[in-house]
Amino acid sequence: MKIERIELHVVSIPLKHFFETSFGRVEREVHIIVKMYGEGLVGYGESAVMTDPSYSYETIETVWHIQKDFLIPALLHKDIEDIESFMRMVSTVRGHHFAKCGLEGAYWHLCALQKGEPLYKMWNGTRKTIQSGVSVGIQNSIDDLLSRIKQFLDEGYKRIKIKIKPGWDVDVVRAVRKQFGNIPLMVDANAAYTPDDISVFEALDEYHLMMIEQPLHFADLTDHAELQKKLKTPICLDESISGLRTAKAALALGSCRVINIKPGRVGGYYQAKKIHDLCHGANIPVWCGGMLEFGIGRAFNVSLCSLPNFRFPGDVSSSSRYFHEDIISPPIEFSHGELTIPDEPGFGFQPDDNLIKKYSQRSYIAPE
Ligand code: OSB
Ligand code: MG
């Protein structure tokens, strides 16, 4: 596949409802949409990075810089034979996984269109109908949280994940259990605690949670291993798993019993699949996390959920849960928490250039 042209578009879309984690609150999503041209086709990708370096060190500005000044020059005008060659070409950049993911997605999309195959088949996905949960942010009050959870349960989402932080944890989980009984429920701390908070985890351990996501510091696999030994509830790692190597280390140390795979965080779909395969062999279930993606990134996540070891509902959700308008048509809509992956070449949804333009703040076109 000869790469003839690459475009970057900074796309900004307001959220219907703010999303708050232990890092803070966001009111809109700003991501980079990649368009890659080759052999008469156009592939689309998405770098669903955050604007501030809280979840990851990457931001919109670092992704723009790394893509424009390093990754695009490494790929443009090259004849890229297969994904292994692609991975070699981007490997000269250390880290910057969200930057790589947007370009890799566009390359996969191009290859799928050229072969006339759906991506989920190219990835050896085995499941055509996938399930979604929903990640519910920190709200202004427990009453607000309960009414949002009720709405998502009514819509049929298969599990509820609530964000926790010190001061918004055990009481909140108790209230949710009291109101909704034994629903599939988990919590995500986004690394807001330390090992000194053991009493919080011991209290949470009594609520039959499916898992506790990323309780401690992103770089601390040994503290997570110590904590896992003390808890019945499985620990799921998100921020700590930056790629295949940290996944191997986490499994060897016993730092978690579940892994949340986000393509942007781990450096793309090829790496995501490698981590999936490693965990499959070790009998560690994985599930697909989310970064409030627009439809393009979301469509890739949908395809990824078809792989056999994605054994819990993902944080995938419908476009309409986040945005009044998405940049693909039709938008991604789960019905009763389920979606059947379309059998079309590519990722099964059509990006809309007019909508990309409508929400675009700036663009870069290579060659200039
Ligand atoms: O920790 O999983 C997380 C969103 C932004 C940053 C980190 C996280 C999240 C989510 C949202 O939980 C998942 C989604 O609905 O896309
Ligand atoms: Mg998380």
Side-chain angles (χ1 to χ4, degrees), residues 277-322:
D277 294 350
L278 171 80
C279 291
H280 204 183
N283 199 24
I284 294 284
V286 304
W287 56 277
C288 184
M291 292 297 292
L292 300 95
E293 282 87 352
F294 303 148
I296 294 167
R298 191 170 302 283
F300 282 102
N301 290 353
V302 163
S303 297
L304 199 59
C305 289
S306 69
L307 273 61
N309 195 39
F310 280 80
R311 281 191 267 156
F312 290 109
D315 276 345
V316 197
S317 315
S318 301
S319 300
S320 61
R321 141 155 162 65
Y322 307 89

mmCIF file of all heavy atoms in Angstrom, residues 277-322:
data_model
loop_
_atom_site.group_PDB
_atom_site.id
_atom_site.type_symbol
_atom_site.label_atom_id
_atom_site.label_comp_id
_atom_site.label_asym_id
_atom_site.label_seq_id
_atom_site.Cartn_x
_atom_site.Cartn_y
_atom_site.Cartn_z
ATOM 1 N N ASP A 277 -3.905 -11.587 23.108
ATOM 2 C CA ASP A 277 -3.443 -12.967 22.925
ATOM 3 C C ASP A 277 -2.652 -13.448 24.147
ATOM 4 O O ASP A 277 -2.820 -14.586 24.592
ATOM 5 C CB ASP A 277 -2.573 -13.073 21.668
ATOM 6 C CG ASP A 277 -3.379 -12.802 20.387
ATOM 7 O OD1 ASP A 277 -4.630 -12.722 20.459
ATOM 8 O OD2 ASP A 277 -2.752 -12.637 19.314
ATOM 9 N N LEU A 278 -1.797 -12.574 24.674
ATOM 10 C CA LEU A 278 -1.029 -12.925 25.882
ATOM 11 C C LEU A 278 -1.982 -13.283 27.016
ATOM 12 O O LEU A 278 -1.819 -14.312 27.686
ATOM 13 C CB LEU A 278 -0.148 -11.732 26.291
ATOM 14 C CG LEU A 278 0.537 -11.858 27.649
ATOM 15 C CD1 LEU A 278 1.778 -12.735 27.543
ATOM 16 C CD2 LEU A 278 0.903 -10.486 28.218
ATOM 17 N N CYS A 279 -2.976 -12.425 27.238
ATOM 18 C CA CYS A 279 -3.923 -12.643 28.340
ATOM 19 C C CYS A 279 -4.767 -13.885 28.093
ATOM 20 O O CYS A 279 -5.068 -14.635 29.024
ATOM 21 C CB CYS A 279 -4.817 -11.412 28.525
ATOM 22 S SG CYS A 279 -3.909 -9.994 29.157
ATOM 23 N N HIS A 280 -5.139 -14.109 26.836
ATOM 24 C CA HIS A 280 -5.920 -15.292 26.486
ATOM 25 C C HIS A 280 -5.166 -16.553 26.921
ATOM 26 O O HIS A 280 -5.725 -17.442 27.557
ATOM 27 C CB HIS A 280 -6.177 -15.305 24.979
ATOM 28 C CG HIS A 280 -7.381 -16.089 24.572
ATOM 29 N ND1 HIS A 280 -7.741 -16.270 23.265
ATOM 30 C CD2 HIS A 280 -8.307 -16.735 25.308
ATOM 31 C CE1 HIS A 280 -8.846 -17.002 23.219
ATOM 32 N NE2 HIS A 280 -9.209 -17.288 24.442
ATOM 33 N N GLY A 281 -3.877 -16.596 26.584
ATOM 34 C CA GLY A 281 -3.039 -17.739 26.937
ATOM 35 C C GLY A 281 -2.907 -17.911 28.443
ATOM 36 O O GLY A 281 -2.738 -19.022 28.946
ATOM 37 N N ALA A 282 -2.964 -16.801 29.179
ATOM 38 C CA ALA A 282 -2.794 -16.844 30.632
ATOM 39 C C ALA A 282 -4.136 -16.924 31.361
ATOM 40 O O ALA A 282 -4.181 -16.847 32.594
ATOM 41 C CB ALA A 282 -2.026 -15.601 31.088
ATOM 42 N N ASN A 283 -5.217 -17.046 30.595
ATOM 43 C CA ASN A 283 -6.573 -17.076 31.166
ATOM 44 C C ASN A 283 -6.897 -15.843 32.004
ATOM 45 O O ASN A 283 -7.535 -15.923 33.057
ATOM 46 C CB ASN A 283 -6.805 -18.362 31.966
ATOM 47 C CG ASN A 283 -8.295 -18.636 32.154
ATOM 48 O OD1 ASN A 283 -9.122 -18.159 31.361
ATOM 49 N ND2 ASN A 283 -8.643 -19.348 33.201
ATOM 50 N N ILE A 284 -6.448 -14.698 31.532
ATOM 51 C CA ILE A 284 -6.790 -13.413 32.148
ATOM 52 C C ILE A 284 -7.767 -12.718 31.197
ATOM 53 O O ILE A 284 -7.397 -12.394 30.061
ATOM 54 C CB ILE A 284 -5.512 -12.538 32.319
ATOM 55 C CG1 ILE A 284 -4.544 -13.162 33.327
ATOM 56 C CG2 ILE A 284 -5.857 -11.105 32.696
ATOM 57 C CD1 ILE A 284 -4.939 -13.006 34.781
ATOM 58 N N PRO A 285 -9.018 -12.497 31.594
ATOM 59 C CA PRO A 285 -9.956 -11.832 30.676
ATOM 60 C C PRO A 285 -9.577 -10.374 30.444
ATOM 61 O O PRO A 285 -8.990 -9.727 31.319
ATOM 62 C CB PRO A 285 -11.304 -11.905 31.408
ATOM 63 C CG PRO A 285 -11.060 -12.513 32.727
ATOM 64 C CD PRO A 285 -9.609 -12.838 32.886
ATOM 65 N N VAL A 286 -9.920 -9.881 29.258
ATOM 66 C CA VAL A 286 -9.733 -8.457 28.952
ATOM 67 C C VAL A 286 -11.087 -7.887 28.528
ATOM 68 O O VAL A 286 -12.021 -8.626 28.244
ATOM 69 C CB VAL A 286 -8.684 -8.218 27.842
ATOM 70 C CG1 VAL A 286 -7.357 -8.850 28.206
ATOM 71 C CG2 VAL A 286 -9.166 -8.719 26.481
ATOM 72 N N TRP A 287 -11.174 -6.559 28.493
ATOM 73 C CA TRP A 287 -12.354 -5.885 27.939
ATOM 74 C C TRP A 287 -11.901 -4.567 27.357
ATOM 75 O O TRP A 287 -10.792 -4.091 27.646
ATOM 76 C CB TRP A 287 -13.456 -5.725 28.990
ATOM 77 C CG TRP A 287 -13.071 -5.013 30.246
ATOM 78 C CD1 TRP A 287 -12.451 -5.561 31.338
ATOM 79 C CD2 TRP A 287 -13.278 -3.627 30.545
ATOM 80 N NE1 TRP A 287 -12.255 -4.606 32.298
ATOM 81 C CE2 TRP A 287 -12.751 -3.411 31.847
ATOM 82 C CE3 TRP A 287 -13.844 -2.555 29.863
ATOM 83 C CZ2 TRP A 287 -12.789 -2.155 32.471
ATOM 84 C CZ3 TRP A 287 -13.885 -1.311 30.479
ATOM 85 C CH2 TRP A 287 -13.357 -1.128 31.771
ATOM 86 N N CYS A 288 -12.734 -3.991 26.518
ATOM 87 C CA CYS A 288 -12.327 -2.798 25.776
ATOM 88 C C CYS A 288 -12.750 -1.535 26.513
ATOM 89 O O CYS A 288 -13.948 -1.294 26.706
ATOM 90 C CB CYS A 288 -12.947 -2.830 24.375
ATOM 91 S SG CYS A 288 -12.396 -1.463 23.350
ATOM 92 N N GLY A 289 -11.765 -0.735 26.904
ATOM 93 C CA GLY A 289 -12.038 0.542 27.555
ATOM 94 C C GLY A 289 -12.381 1.599 26.517
ATOM 95 O O GLY A 289 -12.395 1.333 25.313
ATOM 96 N N GLY A 290 -12.647 2.799 26.988
ATOM 97 C CA GLY A 290 -13.003 3.879 26.065
ATOM 98 C C GLY A 290 -12.359 5.188 26.472
ATOM 99 O O GLY A 290 -11.943 5.354 27.621
ATOM 100 N N MET A 291 -12.246 6.092 25.514
ATOM 101 C CA MET A 291 -11.750 7.453 25.756
ATOM 102 C C MET A 291 -12.748 8.458 25.177
ATOM 103 O O MET A 291 -12.357 9.442 24.583
ATOM 104 C CB MET A 291 -10.373 7.635 25.104
ATOM 105 C CG MET A 291 -9.257 6.832 25.737
ATOM 106 S SD MET A 291 -8.915 7.288 27.454
ATOM 107 C CE MET A 291 -8.242 8.937 27.257
ATOM 108 N N LEU A 292 -14.045 8.178 25.342
ATOM 109 C CA LEU A 292 -15.101 9.032 24.798
ATOM 110 C C LEU A 292 -14.838 9.312 23.311
ATOM 111 O O LEU A 292 -14.908 10.450 22.851
ATOM 112 C CB LEU A 292 -15.240 10.330 25.604
ATOM 113 C CG LEU A 292 -15.594 10.116 27.076
ATOM 114 C CD1 LEU A 292 -14.365 10.097 27.965
ATOM 115 C CD2 LEU A 292 -16.535 11.197 27.607
ATOM 116 N N GLU A 293 -14.544 8.253 22.603
ATOM 117 C CA GLU A 293 -14.194 8.350 21.183
ATOM 118 C C GLU A 293 -15.342 8.915 20.349
ATOM 119 O O GLU A 293 -16.510 8.698 20.655
ATOM 120 C CB GLU A 293 -13.867 6.953 20.617
ATOM 121 C CG GLU A 293 -12.496 6.406 20.962
ATOM 122 C CD GLU A 293 -12.451 5.664 22.292
ATOM 123 O OE1 GLU A 293 -13.453 5.694 23.037
ATOM 124 O OE2 GLU A 293 -11.396 5.059 22.587
ATOM 125 N N PHE A 294 -14.983 9.561 19.263
ATOM 126 C CA PHE A 294 -15.935 9.847 18.207
ATOM 127 C C PHE A 294 -16.173 8.526 17.457
ATOM 128 O O PHE A 294 -15.513 7.513 17.714
ATOM 129 C CB PHE A 294 -15.401 10.914 17.241
ATOM 130 C CG PHE A 294 -15.040 12.215 17.903
ATOM 131 C CD1 PHE A 294 -13.993 13.003 17.418
ATOM 132 C CD2 PHE A 294 -15.750 12.681 19.012
ATOM 133 C CE1 PHE A 294 -13.656 14.213 18.022
ATOM 134 C CE2 PHE A 294 -15.421 13.885 19.620
ATOM 135 C CZ PHE A 294 -14.359 14.651 19.125
ATOM 136 N N GLY A 295 -17.092 8.588 16.482
ATOM 137 C CA GLY A 295 -17.521 7.350 15.826
ATOM 138 C C GLY A 295 -16.419 6.538 15.191
ATOM 139 O O GLY A 295 -16.510 5.305 15.136
ATOM 140 N N ILE A 296 -15.355 7.182 14.735
ATOM 141 C CA ILE A 296 -14.294 6.440 14.051
ATOM 142 C C ILE A 296 -13.541 5.565 15.057
ATOM 143 O O ILE A 296 -13.453 4.345 14.897
ATOM 144 C CB ILE A 296 -13.366 7.414 13.284
ATOM 145 C CG1 ILE A 296 -14.170 8.067 12.152
ATOM 146 C CG2 ILE A 296 -12.126 6.701 12.757
ATOM 147 C CD1 ILE A 296 -13.501 9.264 11.495
ATOM 148 N N GLY A 297 -13.031 6.167 16.119
ATOM 149 C CA GLY A 297 -12.353 5.389 17.152
ATOM 150 C C GLY A 297 -13.291 4.360 17.771
ATOM 151 O O GLY A 297 -12.892 3.234 18.088
ATOM 152 N N ARG A 298 -14.545 4.746 17.938
ATOM 153 C CA ARG A 298 -15.548 3.848 18.524
ATOM 154 C C ARG A 298 -15.773 2.623 17.625
ATOM 155 O O ARG A 298 -15.905 1.503 18.107
ATOM 156 C CB ARG A 298 -16.846 4.635 18.725
ATOM 157 C CG ARG A 298 -17.921 3.970 19.535
ATOM 158 C CD ARG A 298 -19.051 4.972 19.855
ATOM 159 N NE ARG A 298 -18.516 6.116 20.578
ATOM 160 C CZ ARG A 298 -18.186 6.124 21.859
ATOM 161 N NH1 ARG A 298 -18.415 5.053 22.595
ATOM 162 N NH2 ARG A 298 -17.657 7.187 22.431
ATOM 163 N N ALA A 299 -15.809 2.844 16.299
ATOM 164 C CA ALA A 299 -16.025 1.728 15.358
ATOM 165 C C ALA A 299 -14.859 0.730 15.428
ATOM 166 O O ALA A 299 -15.068 -0.483 15.363
ATOM 167 C CB ALA A 299 -16.189 2.270 13.940
ATOM 168 N N PHE A 300 -13.633 1.243 15.570
ATOM 169 C CA PHE A 300 -12.491 0.321 15.753
ATOM 170 C C PHE A 300 -12.665 -0.475 17.048
ATOM 171 O O PHE A 300 -12.399 -1.682 17.079
ATOM 172 C CB PHE A 300 -11.171 1.106 15.834
ATOM 173 C CG PHE A 300 -10.640 1.563 14.502
ATOM 174 C CD1 PHE A 300 -10.797 2.873 14.090
ATOM 175 C CD2 PHE A 300 -9.960 0.683 13.676
ATOM 176 C CE1 PHE A 300 -10.293 3.301 12.865
ATOM 177 C CE2 PHE A 300 -9.442 1.098 12.454
ATOM 178 C CZ PHE A 300 -9.615 2.415 12.050
ATOM 179 N N ASN A 301 -13.095 0.195 18.112
ATOM 180 C CA ASN A 301 -13.271 -0.509 19.388
ATOM 181 C C ASN A 301 -14.333 -1.599 19.273
ATOM 182 O O ASN A 301 -14.180 -2.690 19.834
ATOM 183 C CB ASN A 301 -13.647 0.481 20.500
ATOM 184 C CG ASN A 301 -12.491 1.388 20.886
ATOM 185 O OD1 ASN A 301 -11.369 1.195 20.418
ATOM 186 N ND2 ASN A 301 -12.754 2.379 21.715
ATOM 187 N N VAL A 302 -15.401 -1.288 18.542
ATOM 188 C CA VAL A 302 -16.463 -2.278 18.315
ATOM 189 C C VAL A 302 -15.869 -3.519 17.645
ATOM 190 O O VAL A 302 -16.116 -4.656 18.066
ATOM 191 C CB VAL A 302 -17.599 -1.655 17.461
ATOM 192 C CG1 VAL A 302 -18.498 -2.730 16.867
ATOM 193 C CG2 VAL A 302 -18.422 -0.672 18.299
ATOM 194 N N SER A 303 -15.053 -3.315 16.615
ATOM 195 C CA SER A 303 -14.448 -4.448 15.912
ATOM 196 C C SER A 303 -13.533 -5.249 16.846
ATOM 197 O O SER A 303 -13.516 -6.484 16.807
ATOM 198 C CB SER A 303 -13.638 -3.963 14.704
ATOM 199 O OG SER A 303 -14.489 -3.332 13.778
ATOM 200 N N LEU A 304 -12.788 -4.525 17.682
ATOM 201 C CA LEU A 304 -11.857 -5.186 18.610
ATOM 202 C C LEU A 304 -12.598 -6.094 19.590
ATOM 203 O O LEU A 304 -12.103 -7.174 19.955
ATOM 204 C CB LEU A 304 -11.085 -4.096 19.372
ATOM 205 C CG LEU A 304 -9.777 -4.472 20.047
ATOM 206 C CD1 LEU A 304 -8.770 -5.005 19.038
ATOM 207 C CD2 LEU A 304 -9.200 -3.241 20.767
ATOM 208 N N CYS A 305 -13.784 -5.667 20.009
ATOM 209 C CA CYS A 305 -14.568 -6.452 20.986
ATOM 210 C C CYS A 305 -14.967 -7.820 20.447
ATOM 211 O O CYS A 305 -15.447 -8.669 21.203
ATOM 212 C CB CYS A 305 -15.837 -5.699 21.386
ATOM 213 S SG CYS A 305 -15.532 -4.268 22.410
ATOM 214 N N SER A 306 -14.776 -8.055 19.133
ATOM 215 C CA SER A 306 -15.139 -9.350 18.556
ATOM 216 C C SER A 306 -14.115 -10.435 18.901
ATOM 217 O O SER A 306 -14.381 -11.624 18.707
ATOM 218 C CB SER A 306 -15.236 -9.227 17.034
ATOM 219 O OG SER A 306 -13.945 -9.010 16.491
ATOM 220 N N LEU A 307 -12.943 -10.046 19.395
ATOM 221 C CA LEU A 307 -11.917 -11.053 19.706
ATOM 222 C C LEU A 307 -12.343 -11.887 20.919
ATOM 223 O O LEU A 307 -12.980 -11.363 21.843
ATOM 224 C CB LEU A 307 -10.555 -10.374 19.950
ATOM 225 C CG LEU A 307 -9.712 -10.147 18.684
ATOM 226 C CD1 LEU A 307 -10.403 -9.247 17.683
ATOM 227 C CD2 LEU A 307 -8.351 -9.569 19.031
ATOM 228 N N PRO A 308 -11.988 -13.184 20.915
ATOM 229 C CA PRO A 308 -12.612 -14.108 21.875
ATOM 230 C C PRO A 308 -12.333 -13.819 23.346
ATOM 231 O O PRO A 308 -13.152 -14.134 24.197
ATOM 232 C CB PRO A 308 -12.038 -15.482 21.472
ATOM 233 C CG PRO A 308 -10.852 -15.184 20.619
ATOM 234 C CD PRO A 308 -11.130 -13.881 19.943
ATOM 235 N N ASN A 309 -11.166 -13.242 23.674
ATOM 236 C CA ASN A 309 -10.870 -13.047 25.091
ATOM 237 C C ASN A 309 -11.400 -11.710 25.641
ATOM 238 O O ASN A 309 -11.125 -11.349 26.779
ATOM 239 C CB ASN A 309 -9.363 -13.177 25.352
ATOM 240 C CG ASN A 309 -9.031 -13.341 26.819
ATOM 241 O OD1 ASN A 309 -9.731 -14.033 27.554
ATOM 242 N ND2 ASN A 309 -7.977 -12.663 27.263
ATOM 243 N N PHE A 310 -12.164 -10.949 24.814
ATOM 244 C CA PHE A 310 -12.881 -9.788 25.349
ATOM 245 C C PHE A 310 -14.125 -10.344 26.028
ATOM 246 O O PHE A 310 -15.138 -10.584 25.391
ATOM 247 C CB PHE A 310 -13.216 -8.785 24.230
ATOM 248 C CG PHE A 310 -12.040 -7.921 23.860
ATOM 249 C CD1 PHE A 310 -11.039 -8.398 23.031
ATOM 250 C CD2 PHE A 310 -11.923 -6.632 24.375
ATOM 251 C CE1 PHE A 310 -9.936 -7.619 22.708
ATOM 252 C CE2 PHE A 310 -10.819 -5.844 24.063
ATOM 253 C CZ PHE A 310 -9.820 -6.335 23.227
ATOM 254 N N ARG A 311 -13.982 -10.600 27.335
ATOM 255 C CA ARG A 311 -14.977 -11.426 28.027
ATOM 256 C C ARG A 311 -15.883 -10.642 28.970
ATOM 257 O O ARG A 311 -16.703 -11.217 29.667
ATOM 258 C CB ARG A 311 -14.279 -12.559 28.780
ATOM 259 C CG ARG A 311 -13.898 -13.702 27.848
ATOM 260 C CD ARG A 311 -13.462 -14.926 28.634
ATOM 261 N NE ARG A 311 -12.016 -14.957 28.847
ATOM 262 C CZ ARG A 311 -11.428 -15.615 29.837
ATOM 263 N NH1 ARG A 311 -12.155 -16.256 30.733
ATOM 264 N NH2 ARG A 311 -10.110 -15.605 29.949
ATOM 265 N N PHE A 312 -15.715 -9.309 29.020
ATOM 266 C CA PHE A 312 -16.660 -8.476 29.776
ATOM 267 C C PHE A 312 -17.200 -7.404 28.835
ATOM 268 O O PHE A 312 -16.523 -7.032 27.864
ATOM 269 C CB PHE A 312 -15.956 -7.782 30.953
ATOM 270 C CG PHE A 312 -15.537 -8.705 32.055
ATOM 271 C CD1 PHE A 312 -14.187 -8.983 32.259
ATOM 272 C CD2 PHE A 312 -16.477 -9.284 32.907
ATOM 273 C CE1 PHE A 312 -13.788 -9.831 33.279
ATOM 274 C CE2 PHE A 312 -16.080 -10.128 33.931
ATOM 275 C CZ PHE A 312 -14.730 -10.404 34.120
ATOM 276 N N PRO A 313 -18.388 -6.867 29.128
ATOM 277 C CA PRO A 313 -18.890 -5.755 28.308
ATOM 278 C C PRO A 313 -17.887 -4.595 28.319
ATOM 279 O O PRO A 313 -17.249 -4.340 29.341
ATOM 280 C CB PRO A 313 -20.186 -5.336 29.030
ATOM 281 C CG PRO A 313 -20.577 -6.518 29.861
ATOM 282 C CD PRO A 313 -19.302 -7.217 30.223
ATOM 283 N N GLY A 314 -17.714 -3.932 27.185
ATOM 284 C CA GLY A 314 -16.759 -2.826 27.082
ATOM 285 C C GLY A 314 -17.366 -1.498 27.492
ATOM 286 O O GLY A 314 -18.574 -1.378 27.669
ATOM 287 N N ASP A 315 -16.477 -0.465 27.607
ATOM 288 C CA ASP A 315 -16.933 0.929 27.786
ATOM 289 C C ASP A 315 -17.149 1.507 26.398
ATOM 290 O O ASP A 315 -16.576 2.543 26.043
ATOM 291 C CB ASP A 315 -15.851 1.768 28.481
ATOM 292 C CG ASP A 315 -15.888 1.632 29.994
ATOM 293 O OD1 ASP A 315 -16.896 1.127 30.527
ATOM 294 O OD2 ASP A 315 -14.906 2.051 30.639
ATOM 295 N N VAL A 316 -17.935 0.847 25.582
ATOM 296 C CA VAL A 316 -18.061 1.279 24.185
ATOM 297 C C VAL A 316 -19.232 2.268 24.060
ATOM 298 O O VAL A 316 -19.034 3.419 23.736
ATOM 299 C CB VAL A 316 -18.215 0.074 23.234
ATOM 300 C CG1 VAL A 316 -17.933 0.502 21.810
ATOM 301 C CG2 VAL A 316 -17.253 -1.046 23.608
ATOM 302 N N SER A 317 -20.425 1.811 24.329
ATOM 303 C CA SER A 317 -21.634 2.667 24.405
ATOM 304 C C SER A 317 -22.007 3.323 23.071
ATOM 305 O O SER A 317 -21.208 3.400 22.144
ATOM 306 C CB SER A 317 -21.494 3.760 25.474
ATOM 307 O OG SER A 317 -20.968 3.269 26.679
ATOM 308 N N SER A 318 -23.238 3.822 23.029
ATOM 309 C CA SER A 318 -23.771 4.460 21.820
ATOM 310 C C SER A 318 -23.197 5.860 21.644
ATOM 311 O O SER A 318 -22.959 6.564 22.621
ATOM 312 C CB SER A 318 -25.289 4.608 21.936
ATOM 313 O OG SER A 318 -25.899 3.352 22.121
ATOM 314 N N SER A 319 -23.036 6.287 20.393
ATOM 315 C CA SER A 319 -22.631 7.675 20.108
ATOM 316 C C SER A 319 -23.543 8.650 20.845
ATOM 317 O O SER A 319 -23.093 9.665 21.394
ATOM 318 C CB SER A 319 -22.764 7.979 18.614
ATOM 319 O OG SER A 319 -21.958 7.136 17.833
ATOM 320 N N SER A 320 -24.847 8.350 20.853
ATOM 321 C CA SER A 320 -25.838 9.285 21.408
ATOM 322 C C SER A 320 -25.727 9.427 22.923
ATOM 323 O O SER A 320 -26.314 10.330 23.497
ATOM 324 C CB SER A 320 -27.253 8.820 21.047
ATOM 325 O OG SER A 320 -27.472 7.543 21.613
ATOM 326 N N ARG A 321 -24.983 8.523 23.574
ATOM 327 C CA ARG A 321 -24.781 8.695 25.009
ATOM 328 C C ARG A 321 -23.857 9.888 25.283
ATOM 329 O O ARG A 321 -23.906 10.486 26.338
ATOM 330 C CB ARG A 321 -24.194 7.421 25.595
ATOM 331 C CG ARG A 321 -23.141 7.667 26.668
ATOM 332 C CD ARG A 321 -23.012 6.538 27.616
ATOM 333 N NE ARG A 321 -21.781 6.551 28.372
ATOM 334 C CZ ARG A 321 -21.405 7.458 29.260
ATOM 335 N NH1 ARG A 321 -22.145 8.504 29.498
ATOM 336 N NH2 ARG A 321 -20.267 7.331 29.911
ATOM 337 N N TYR A 322 -23.012 10.206 24.314
ATOM 338 C CA TYR A 322 -22.023 11.268 24.510
ATOM 339 C C TYR A 322 -22.365 12.559 23.759
ATOM 340 O O TYR A 322 -22.179 13.646 24.277
ATOM 341 C CB TYR A 322 -20.640 10.820 23.996
ATOM 342 C CG TYR A 322 -20.153 9.514 24.559
ATOM 343 C CD1 TYR A 322 -20.462 8.301 23.932
ATOM 344 C CD2 TYR A 322 -19.383 9.482 25.705
ATOM 345 C CE1 TYR A 322 -20.015 7.093 24.446
ATOM 346 C CE2 TYR A 322 -18.931 8.284 26.228
ATOM 347 C CZ TYR A 322 -19.244 7.094 25.591
ATOM 348 O OH TYR A 322 -18.805 5.904 26.118
#
